């Protein structure tokens, strides 16, 4: 699936709606990445959101924008901070994530498990040993298992 949009707060909810069938964790990560484009690159810039299935039950999400210099930085957000938790959420939910830079654009990507199942059959990954699929989805919402 590929979504083309201009970075704007209204576009974030459209991305969430389009990705609903893939689960809450994919929706949350996409929302955070598009919001980062709005905040750090600017409103109105073109954004491409791509989602596809990888081997082993993973979904790969990529959000591209036209500024290869505005790189994401994972910071420790304090409990009183009003922002700065987006990449921490992505880091907690994703099996792995990173940035691909090209001439004239960058893509921030992540891989997530979306299949449901028992904790005993949760695959481990060499990139992040012991990383598990979120059992109750983002922020503990039980409906994320659908």
């Amino acid at each position: 699936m590929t979504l083309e949009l201009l970075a704007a707060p209204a576009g974030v909810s459209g991305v969430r709606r389009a990705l609903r069938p893939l689960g809450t964790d994919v929706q949350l990560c996409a929302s955070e990445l598009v919001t980062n484009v709005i905040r750090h690159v600017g409103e109105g810039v073109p954004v491409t959101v791509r989602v596809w299935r990888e081997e082993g039950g993973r979904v790969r999400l990529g959000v591209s924008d036209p500024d290869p210099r505005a790189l994401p930085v994972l910071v420790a957000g304090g409990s009183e901070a009003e922002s700065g938790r987006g990449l921490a959420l992505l880091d907690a939910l994703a099996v792995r994530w990173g940035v691909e830079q090209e001439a004239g654009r960058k893509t921030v990507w992540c891989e997530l498990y979306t299949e449901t199942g028992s904790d005993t059959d949760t695959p481990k990954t060499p990139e992040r040993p012991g990383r598990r699929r979120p059992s109750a989805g983002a922020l503990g919402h039980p409906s994320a298992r659908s």
Side-chain angles (χ1 to χ4, degrees):
M1 169 187 304
T2 300
L3 305 169
E4 304 272 342
L5 63 139
L6 295 178
V12 176
S13 61
V15 168
R16 278 195 306 266
R17 273 192 306 279
L19 299 180
R20 184 172 291 140
L22 297 172
T24 304
D25 294 343
V26 174
Q27 289 176 294
L28 177 62
C29 289
S31 295
E32 293 299 333
L33 292 177
V34 173
T35 298
N36 279 351
V37 173
I38 295 166
R39 176 167 285 162
H40 300 291
V41 180
E43 275 193 55
V45 300
V47 175
T48 303
V49 178
R50 289 185 184 89
V51 183
W52 66 94
R53 293 218 175 266
E54 292 279 313
E55 292 182 25
R58 289 182 287 187
V59 166
R60 186 167 171 125
L61 163 70
V63 175
S64 301
D65 70 65
D67 190 346
R69 298 165 297 149
L71 299 175
V73 177
L74 181 61
V75 295
S79 61
E80 300 298 316
E82 292 184 19
S83 64
R85 293 184 186 91
L87 285 177
L89 284 170
L90 181 124
D91 187 60
L93 294 172
V95 174
R96 62 187 188 135
W97 68 277
V99 179
E100 294 173 358
Q101 290 177 280
E102 299 175 39
R105 79 176 197 169
K106 74 167 170 305
T107 300
V108 182
W109 59 269
C110 63
E111 292 180 357
L112 303 114
Y113 284 110
T114 60
E115 296 177 346
T116 59
S118 70
D119 288 342
T120 58
D121 70 353
T122 302
K124 308 290 190 250
T125 64
E127 297 88 3
R128 299 180 81 157
R131 209 59 187 282
R132 302 163 75 90
R133 277 181 256 159
S135 60
L139 307 177
H141 294 291
S143 62
R145 282 196 168 271
S146 57

mmCIF file of all heavy atoms in Angstrom, residues 56-58 95 113-125 130-135 145:
data_model
loop_
_atom_site.group_PDB
_atom_site.id
_atom_site.type_symbol
_atom_site.label_atom_id
_atom_site.label_comp_id
_atom_site.label_asym_id
_atom_site.label_seq_id
_atom_site.Cartn_x
_atom_site.Cartn_y
_atom_site.Cartn_z
ATOM 1 N N GLY A 56 8.361 -13.683 7.589
ATOM 2 C CA GLY A 56 8.313 -13.916 9.026
ATOM 3 C C GLY A 56 7.200 -13.177 9.743
ATOM 4 O O GLY A 56 7.292 -12.959 10.946
ATOM 5 N N GLY A 57 6.152 -12.763 9.023
ATOM 6 C CA GLY A 57 5.024 -12.127 9.685
ATOM 7 C C GLY A 57 5.225 -10.675 10.048
ATOM 8 O O GLY A 57 4.489 -10.123 10.850
ATOM 9 N N ARG A 58 6.224 -10.022 9.469
ATOM 10 C CA ARG A 58 6.465 -8.620 9.775
ATOM 11 C C ARG A 58 5.839 -7.715 8.719
ATOM 12 O O ARG A 58 5.668 -8.106 7.570
ATOM 13 C CB ARG A 58 7.953 -8.321 9.842
ATOM 14 C CG ARG A 58 8.616 -8.921 11.063
ATOM 15 C CD ARG A 58 10.060 -8.567 11.115
ATOM 16 N NE ARG A 58 10.756 -9.340 10.083
ATOM 17 C CZ ARG A 58 12.072 -9.362 9.933
ATOM 18 N NH1 ARG A 58 12.829 -8.641 10.721
ATOM 19 N NH2 ARG A 58 12.636 -10.085 9.005
ATOM 20 N N VAL A 95 10.347 -3.965 15.741
ATOM 21 C CA VAL A 95 11.400 -4.977 15.821
ATOM 22 C C VAL A 95 12.738 -4.295 15.567
ATOM 23 O O VAL A 95 13.720 -4.541 16.254
ATOM 24 C CB VAL A 95 11.160 -6.089 14.779
ATOM 25 C CG1 VAL A 95 12.307 -7.074 14.753
ATOM 26 C CG2 VAL A 95 9.842 -6.783 15.031
ATOM 27 N N TYR A 113 5.717 -6.628 14.052
ATOM 28 C CA TYR A 113 4.925 -7.843 13.946
ATOM 29 C C TYR A 113 3.463 -7.450 14.046
ATOM 30 O O TYR A 113 3.100 -6.618 14.869
ATOM 31 C CB TYR A 113 5.257 -8.831 15.064
ATOM 32 C CG TYR A 113 6.563 -9.529 14.838
ATOM 33 C CD1 TYR A 113 7.665 -9.256 15.632
ATOM 34 C CD2 TYR A 113 6.699 -10.462 13.822
ATOM 35 C CE1 TYR A 113 8.865 -9.892 15.421
ATOM 36 C CE2 TYR A 113 7.895 -11.100 13.596
ATOM 37 C CZ TYR A 113 8.985 -10.812 14.394
ATOM 38 O OH TYR A 113 10.168 -11.432 14.179
ATOM 39 N N THR A 114 2.628 -8.054 13.220
ATOM 40 C CA THR A 114 1.205 -7.741 13.267
ATOM 41 C C THR A 114 0.354 -8.972 13.481
ATOM 42 O O THR A 114 -0.826 -8.857 13.716
ATOM 43 C CB THR A 114 0.729 -7.058 11.976
ATOM 44 O OG1 THR A 114 0.960 -7.941 10.880
ATOM 45 C CG2 THR A 114 1.439 -5.747 11.771
ATOM 46 N N GLU A 115 0.949 -10.151 13.382
ATOM 47 C CA GLU A 115 0.173 -11.373 13.578
ATOM 48 C C GLU A 115 -0.104 -11.573 15.060
ATOM 49 O O GLU A 115 0.729 -11.274 15.905
ATOM 50 C CB GLU A 115 0.941 -12.590 13.059
ATOM 51 C CG GLU A 115 1.179 -12.544 11.576
ATOM 52 C CD GLU A 115 2.008 -13.731 11.116
ATOM 53 O OE1 GLU A 115 2.601 -14.429 11.952
ATOM 54 O OE2 GLU A 115 2.066 -13.928 9.911
ATOM 55 N N THR A 116 -1.282 -12.091 15.373
ATOM 56 C CA THR A 116 -1.582 -12.413 16.758
ATOM 57 C C THR A 116 -1.164 -13.847 17.021
ATOM 58 O O THR A 116 -1.002 -14.635 16.109
ATOM 59 C CB THR A 116 -3.085 -12.258 17.059
ATOM 60 O OG1 THR A 116 -3.799 -13.124 16.196
ATOM 61 C CG2 THR A 116 -3.519 -10.830 16.871
ATOM 62 N N GLY A 117 -1.010 -14.169 18.266
ATOM 63 C CA GLY A 117 -0.615 -15.512 18.641
ATOM 64 C C GLY A 117 -0.168 -15.520 20.076
ATOM 65 O O GLY A 117 -0.082 -14.493 20.723
ATOM 66 N N SER A 118 0.135 -16.688 20.566
ATOM 67 C CA SER A 118 0.558 -16.785 21.966
ATOM 68 C C SER A 118 1.988 -16.302 22.109
ATOM 69 O O SER A 118 2.761 -16.297 21.161
ATOM 70 C CB SER A 118 0.448 -18.234 22.435
ATOM 71 O OG SER A 118 1.441 -19.009 21.802
ATOM 72 N N ASP A 119 2.344 -15.913 23.301
ATOM 73 C CA ASP A 119 3.699 -15.433 23.564
ATOM 74 C C ASP A 119 4.740 -16.520 23.346
ATOM 75 O O ASP A 119 5.886 -16.228 23.087
ATOM 76 C CB ASP A 119 3.801 -14.886 24.987
ATOM 77 C CG ASP A 119 3.084 -13.559 25.129
ATOM 78 O OD1 ASP A 119 2.811 -12.901 24.118
ATOM 79 O OD2 ASP A 119 2.808 -13.198 26.276
ATOM 80 N N THR A 120 4.360 -17.784 23.432
ATOM 81 C CA THR A 120 5.345 -18.848 23.286
ATOM 82 C C THR A 120 5.791 -19.023 21.853
ATOM 83 O O THR A 120 6.865 -19.539 21.606
ATOM 84 C CB THR A 120 4.781 -20.188 23.810
ATOM 85 O OG1 THR A 120 3.590 -20.485 23.077
ATOM 86 C CG2 THR A 120 4.498 -20.114 25.282
ATOM 87 N N ASP A 121 4.984 -18.587 20.877
ATOM 88 C CA ASP A 121 5.412 -18.739 19.492
ATOM 89 C C ASP A 121 5.930 -17.426 18.911
ATOM 90 O O ASP A 121 6.108 -17.296 17.718
ATOM 91 C CB ASP A 121 4.285 -19.298 18.624
ATOM 92 C CG ASP A 121 3.141 -18.312 18.403
ATOM 93 O OD1 ASP A 121 3.136 -17.238 19.017
ATOM 94 O OD2 ASP A 121 2.246 -18.636 17.617
ATOM 95 N N THR A 122 6.207 -16.440 19.761
ATOM 96 C CA THR A 122 6.708 -15.163 19.292
ATOM 97 C C THR A 122 8.142 -15.317 18.811
ATOM 98 O O THR A 122 9.002 -15.756 19.566
ATOM 99 C CB THR A 122 6.675 -14.118 20.426
ATOM 100 O OG1 THR A 122 5.339 -14.013 20.882
ATOM 101 C CG2 THR A 122 7.167 -12.774 19.946
ATOM 102 N N PRO A 123 8.414 -14.985 17.550
ATOM 103 C CA PRO A 123 9.774 -15.123 17.053
ATOM 104 C C PRO A 123 10.712 -14.111 17.689
ATOM 105 O O PRO A 123 10.307 -13.010 18.034
ATOM 106 C CB PRO A 123 9.642 -14.868 15.550
ATOM 107 C CG PRO A 123 8.308 -14.292 15.335
ATOM 108 C CD PRO A 123 7.490 -14.521 16.549
ATOM 109 N N LYS A 124 11.946 -14.499 17.846
ATOM 110 C CA LYS A 124 12.988 -13.602 18.323
ATOM 111 C C LYS A 124 13.769 -13.132 17.098
ATOM 112 O O LYS A 124 13.832 -13.811 16.095
ATOM 113 C CB LYS A 124 13.946 -14.326 19.276
ATOM 114 C CG LYS A 124 13.256 -15.060 20.403
ATOM 115 C CD LYS A 124 12.661 -14.115 21.397
ATOM 116 C CE LYS A 124 12.202 -14.855 22.626
ATOM 117 N NZ LYS A 124 10.806 -14.929 22.788
ATOM 118 N N THR A 125 14.361 -11.957 17.168
ATOM 119 C CA THR A 125 15.121 -11.458 16.037
ATOM 120 C C THR A 125 16.564 -11.235 16.440
ATOM 121 O O THR A 125 16.847 -10.833 17.563
ATOM 122 C CB THR A 125 14.547 -10.122 15.532
ATOM 123 O OG1 THR A 125 14.702 -9.173 16.561
ATOM 124 C CG2 THR A 125 13.092 -10.234 15.147
ATOM 125 N N GLY A 130 15.134 -11.178 21.943
ATOM 126 C CA GLY A 130 14.135 -11.159 22.998
ATOM 127 C C GLY A 130 13.000 -10.196 22.751
ATOM 128 O O GLY A 130 12.078 -10.108 23.533
ATOM 129 N N ARG A 131 13.063 -9.420 21.668
ATOM 130 C CA ARG A 131 11.987 -8.476 21.358
ATOM 131 C C ARG A 131 10.735 -9.252 21.047
ATOM 132 O O ARG A 131 10.760 -10.214 20.307
ATOM 133 C CB ARG A 131 12.401 -7.616 20.162
ATOM 134 C CG ARG A 131 11.782 -6.247 20.157
ATOM 135 C CD ARG A 131 12.196 -5.557 21.412
ATOM 136 N NE ARG A 131 11.591 -4.304 21.687
ATOM 137 C CZ ARG A 131 11.885 -3.158 21.147
ATOM 138 N NH1 ARG A 131 12.718 -3.061 20.188
ATOM 139 N NH2 ARG A 131 11.315 -2.064 21.575
ATOM 140 N N ARG A 132 9.631 -8.871 21.591
ATOM 141 C CA ARG A 132 8.380 -9.593 21.417
ATOM 142 C C ARG A 132 7.364 -8.729 20.707
ATOM 143 O O ARG A 132 7.422 -7.524 20.772
ATOM 144 C CB ARG A 132 7.830 -9.999 22.776
ATOM 145 C CG ARG A 132 8.791 -10.842 23.555
ATOM 146 C CD ARG A 132 8.390 -10.854 25.004
ATOM 147 N NE ARG A 132 7.246 -11.683 25.251
ATOM 148 C CZ ARG A 132 7.309 -12.962 25.546
ATOM 149 N NH1 ARG A 132 8.460 -13.554 25.600
ATOM 150 N NH2 ARG A 132 6.217 -13.644 25.790
ATOM 151 N N ARG A 133 6.414 -9.403 20.100
ATOM 152 C CA ARG A 133 5.278 -8.674 19.545
ATOM 153 C C ARG A 133 4.544 -8.005 20.687
ATOM 154 O O ARG A 133 4.402 -8.591 21.758
ATOM 155 C CB ARG A 133 4.303 -9.642 18.870
ATOM 156 C CG ARG A 133 4.702 -9.986 17.474
ATOM 157 C CD ARG A 133 3.676 -10.897 16.911
ATOM 158 N NE ARG A 133 4.289 -12.214 16.942
ATOM 159 C CZ ARG A 133 3.641 -13.338 16.915
ATOM 160 N NH1 ARG A 133 2.341 -13.358 16.885
ATOM 161 N NH2 ARG A 133 4.268 -14.472 16.911
ATOM 162 N N PRO A 134 4.027 -6.814 20.493
ATOM 163 C CA PRO A 134 3.251 -6.186 21.557
ATOM 164 C C PRO A 134 2.027 -7.037 21.861
ATOM 165 O O PRO A 134 1.282 -7.407 20.964
ATOM 166 C CB PRO A 134 2.851 -4.836 20.963
ATOM 167 C CG PRO A 134 3.810 -4.612 19.833
ATOM 168 C CD PRO A 134 4.198 -5.963 19.342
ATOM 169 N N SER A 135 1.825 -7.377 23.114
ATOM 170 C CA SER A 135 0.721 -8.259 23.461
ATOM 171 C C SER A 135 -0.607 -7.543 23.523
ATOM 172 O O SER A 135 -1.637 -8.123 23.267
ATOM 173 C CB SER A 135 1.000 -8.932 24.809
ATOM 174 O OG SER A 135 1.129 -7.961 25.802
ATOM 175 N N ARG A 145 -5.448 -6.344 19.352
ATOM 176 C CA ARG A 145 -5.211 -7.720 18.928
ATOM 177 C C ARG A 145 -6.074 -8.130 17.739
ATOM 178 O O ARG A 145 -5.999 -9.241 17.290
ATOM 179 C CB ARG A 145 -5.475 -8.673 20.080
ATOM 180 C CG ARG A 145 -4.351 -8.700 21.066
ATOM 181 C CD ARG A 145 -4.545 -9.940 21.913
ATOM 182 N NE ARG A 145 -3.409 -10.245 22.712
ATOM 183 C CZ ARG A 145 -2.408 -10.993 22.321
ATOM 184 N NH1 ARG A 145 -2.375 -11.496 21.136
ATOM 185 N NH2 ARG A 145 -1.418 -11.255 23.133
#
